[in-house]
Amino acid sequence: MRLFLNVTTGLTILAVVFTSTLSTISSAGIPDLEANKDERALSNPSYILGQHWFRKLNGSRALIDFPPAYDYLKNALSQILPQTNLYNTTVEMTLLNSSKSNAFVIPGNHLFIYSDIMEMITSEDMLFGLLGHEIAHLDLRHYERQTKHSGEELQKTMVMLGAGIAAALAGAGSDATTALWLGGIANQAENTLTYSRNQEQEADRRGREYLINAGLDPEGMTKLFQAFFKQALGRPKLEFLSSHPSPDSRMSDSFNAETKGTILSNRRTSNFEFFRASLLAYRAGIEDKPYSYLDQNIQDNDTKIFAKGLFSYLIQSPIRALDYLTKLENHNQFTDYLQALSYAASGQTEEGLKIINMRLDLEPKNIMFSMLYSQLTHSKPTNVRSDYLYEKRLIWRANIQYYQSRNNIPMALNYRALLDFSQGKDKTAQYLIKRAENDAHHNDKNLIQSTENYFKRINEAEKQEDLEEENFRLNR
């Protein structure tokens, strides 16, 4: 059975995107991506470009929406970011389900990881190697430096970037995307590829420095390249390698680099295996025999049970998910969250609340479990602020449930509009916020109007950079 399978489209999609994007760039000129280096300012073209595509991809059917996985990844990044110039900045994360092995970053500090790449990444050190490499692209400002490299080549790069992301968003298959590397300088012209390969090598080396300075094992990056090399032998082409140096040359560079001792020989207990299992549980839905796929790719028994439970939940079999979870010998944040979701989905809300309350006794400020508590009890969510979209989604959903239970439809529509807008559904969001504003109680109007003004500011900034939705319309 092939669940969650992306829709395969023809090459027409690329022609449409290429034509519309190229005409847009030609008329508008190249944006100065270094005009403003304030990370999240709407006057920063890098941030606007990144946010535009970040919102679009978060509206994709391929989105992996399991909060504990994002929580783990945020904590993993927190070990690397202090070694960079990105310290105290927000690196937004999106996990996507795909049969392609890829990880990439886009301007404005946005990181994407495809589920399939976790087949190769079998240890936390390897994941840190990947994160170090991708964060180096952002820290070294490779997109902005590409601007200075060649305005003409940047035009081609932006066309390919826009086409690649739009193709992925529309669920394009290998016929439409094998020529694209979504993770950086995607132009296939040889001179740009050469420049891109130099950037990849620079990111490799800088990433190793991060790992060493963070007290993490730099050999994780070497293991990562070895895994890519083995996979490249068995596949026609890996997305991750299409504009990169060959795996063997990267391994050679890694082996030749000076290796320094790390300050940490034994790290704290990690939930890496459950992070990996979460992505593979989504990935299993693309396979004909999903449970066999999980058996083949996950060795640890508890982790395998969790992955099968998550997959069962995803195919709307919460009772089967609970059957798997009762076999666990050990529990953690991943298993407890899934168990609470499964109890709620099977109508056993009180059992789910017991687990949630147990977690909140340990971590009263845990956003995941506090927002889940609010959703299940229809109680008003605690007033928390977050810079991460995965946490905002939880907050918005909890508010939707609360205001619906109070029959305050305008406020429920306000948070529904925020959720839709974060997924690139601008027209739907604007329609909902107008409805909310028209019917709102006097006390709620200011908040609803601030949401509407937020939408306008984002859309106006995108319009100035010629990133309006109509400029990237797809032939669906």
Side-chain angles (χ1 to χ4, degrees):
M1 116 181 114
R2 291 180 177 267
L3 301 166
F4 325 124
L5 188 59
N6 291 341
V7 177
T8 300
T9 61
L11 290 173
T12 307
I13 185 175
L14 293 186
V16 172
V17 177
F18 274 33
T19 303
S20 60
T21 309
L22 186 56
S23 63
T24 297
I25 293 173
S26 298
S27 61
I30 303 299
D32 181 3
L33 296 180
E34 285 206 311
N36 187 318
K37 294 188 179 181
D38 186 356
E39 178 206 359
R40 301 172 76 82
L42 291 181
S43 57
N44 182 354
S46 290
Y47 177 65
I48 296 169
L49 176 66
Q51 270 292 296
H52 178 83
W53 289 116
F54 179 72
R55 292 195 300 114
K56 297 295 183 185
L57 280 170
N58 271 276
S60 167
R61 287 182 297 168
L63 178 70
I64 293 175
D65 192 8
F66 190 62
Y70 289 89
D71 216 43
Y72 166 85
L73 187 57
K74 178 181 70 174
N75 291 332
L77 286 169
S78 71
Q79 298 186 57
I80 296 175
L81 289 174
Q83 321 309 322
T84 75
N85 292 320
L86 301 173
Y87 190 51
N88 285 333
T89 64
T90 300
V91 175
E92 276 282 23
M93 310 157 285
T94 298
L95 303 170
L96 295 169
N97 193 27
S98 175
S99 59
K100 301 291 181 183
S101 289
N102 202 4
F104 59 94
V105 292
I106 58 177
N109 296 342
H110 300 87
L111 168 70
F112 297 81
I113 296 178
Y114 282 18
S115 58
D116 189 75
I117 205 168
M118 299 311 295
E119 287 186 14
M120 288 181 282
I121 297 178
T122 56
S123 71
E124 189 169 47
D125 288 337
M126 294 171 69
L127 177 64
F128 278 123
L130 177 70
L131 296 179
H133 170 88
E134 296 300 336
I135 292 302
H137 277 305
L138 296 176
D139 194 23
L140 292 165
R141 301 182 67 81
H142 278 159
Y143 275 92
E144 291 81 352
R145 286 165 56 187
Q146 179 72 357
T147 310
K148 295 182 178 180
H149 170 64
S150 171
E152 180 182 353
E153 294 303 331
L154 182 65
Q155 282 192 350
K156 300 175 186 176
T157 296
M158 292 181 68
V159 171
M160 295 293 282
L161 175 64
I165 296 179
L169 178 64
S174 59
D175 57 345
T177 59
T178 51
L180 301 172
W181 178 60
L182 300 182
I185 312 306
N187 191 346
Q188 298 300 298
E190 181 55 35
N191 56 345
T192 303
L193 282 178
T194 300
Y195 187 75
S196 178
R197 292 184 189 113
N198 291 337
Q199 290 186 337
E200 295 304 323
Q201 189 174 56
E202 185 180 22
D204 291 343
R205 292 173 177 173
R206 183 63 63 88
R208 284 180 66 85
E209 291 178 12
Y210 299 155
L211 299 180
I212 292 168
N213 293 337
L216 303 169
D217 188 355
E219 293 307 302
M221 191 171 285
T222 303
K223 295 174 186 175
L224 183 68
F225 299 150
Q226 289 173 330
F228 287 149
F229 181 74
K230 291 178 181 177
Q231 285 291 89
L233 295 177
R235 295 188 179 188
K237 192 169 189 176
L238 287 175
E239 292 279 351
F240 188 78
L241 300 178
S242 61
S243 64
H244 295 54
S246 63
D248 53 345
S249 68
R250 297 175 83 180
M251 281 194 295
S252 176
D253 184 63
S254 181
F255 285 133
N256 290 334
E258 179 184 358
T259 301
K260 300 177 182 178
T262 60
I263 60 175
L264 298 177
S265 55
N266 294 304
R267 291 199 303 276
R268 60 175 175 76
T269 302
S270 167
N271 282 329
F272 164 75
E273 293 293 344
F274 288 86
F275 168 77
R276 178 175 183 266
S278 299
L279 271 62
L280 292 181
Y282 277 82
R283 175 67 179 79
I286 304 175
E287 298 295 315
D288 290 324
K289 298 180 179 179
Y291 293 102
S292 296
Y293 172 84
L294 295 174
D295 282 331
Q296 292 169 6
N297 285 280
I298 301 175
Q299 304 305 315
D300 176 73
N301 191 54
D302 263 7
T303 312
K304 188 182 300 184
I305 289 171
F306 162 75
K308 291 181 177 180
L310 178 54
F311 176 77
S312 298
Y313 175 81
L314 293 173
I315 61 172
Q316 300 181 4
S317 297
I319 297 297
R320 189 172 187 180
L322 290 169
D323 287 342
Y324 277 114
L325 295 172
T326 57
K327 301 174 185 177
L328 291 170
E329 293 184 7
N330 299 291
H331 290 262
N332 56 33
Q333 181 170 269
F334 282 79
T335 62
D336 286 347
Y337 194 83
L338 175 59
Q339 197 164 23
L341 286 177
S342 299
Y343 274 128
S346 62
Q348 303 176 67
T349 303
E350 290 303 318
E351 292 300 317
L353 288 172
K354 288 179 183 178
I355 296 173
I356 294 170
N357 286 323
M358 177 189 68
R359 297 299 309 193
L360 289 176
D361 286 342
L362 298 173
E363 299 178 83
K365 295 183 179 180
N366 186 297
I367 293 179
M368 291 190 305
F369 286 97
S370 62
M371 291 303 115
L372 187 55
Y373 175 86
S374 295
Q375 278 191 267
L376 297 186
T377 60
H378 297 165
S379 58
K380 187 171 179 59
T382 55
N383 187 18
V384 294
R385 179 182 180 276
S386 175
D387 291 325
Y388 294 93
L389 179 56
Y390 82 95
E391 292 177 334
K392 289 178 181 178
R393 282 197 295 258
L394 296 172
I395 296 168
W396 294 334
R397 287 167 181 162
N399 274 290
I400 291 170
Q401 291 284 350
Y402 170 73
Y403 284 108
Q404 282 181 338
S405 71
R406 296 296 186 275
N407 202 31
N408 188 338
I409 303 305
M411 284 297 289
L413 290 175
N414 173 76
Y415 289 104
R416 180 71 223 188
L418 283 165
L419 187 60
D420 283 352
F421 191 79
S422 75
Q423 297 173 332
K425 303 171 185 176
D426 294 16
K427 291 182 179 179
T428 302
Q430 289 163 357
Y431 170 74
L432 293 176
I433 204 66
K434 282 293 185 185
R435 279 185 55 194
E437 186 178 19
N438 291 336
D439 299 335
H441 303 303
H442 177 74
N443 293 339
D444 298 330
K445 279 190 178 293
N446 286 341
L447 190 149
I448 292 172
Q449 286 173 353
S450 69
T451 300
E452 184 178 21
N453 290 336
Y454 166 71
F455 293 166
K456 288 179 179 178
R457 289 196 304 272
I458 297 292
N459 289 148
E460 182 60 31
E462 291 183 350
K463 182 178 180 180
Q464 290 178 3
E465 299 299 333
D466 287 287
L467 291 172
E468 296 169 290
E469 183 176 353
E470 57 264 32
N471 290 331
F472 294 90
R473 188 178 295 116
L474 304 179
N475 183 20
R476 300 191 184 188

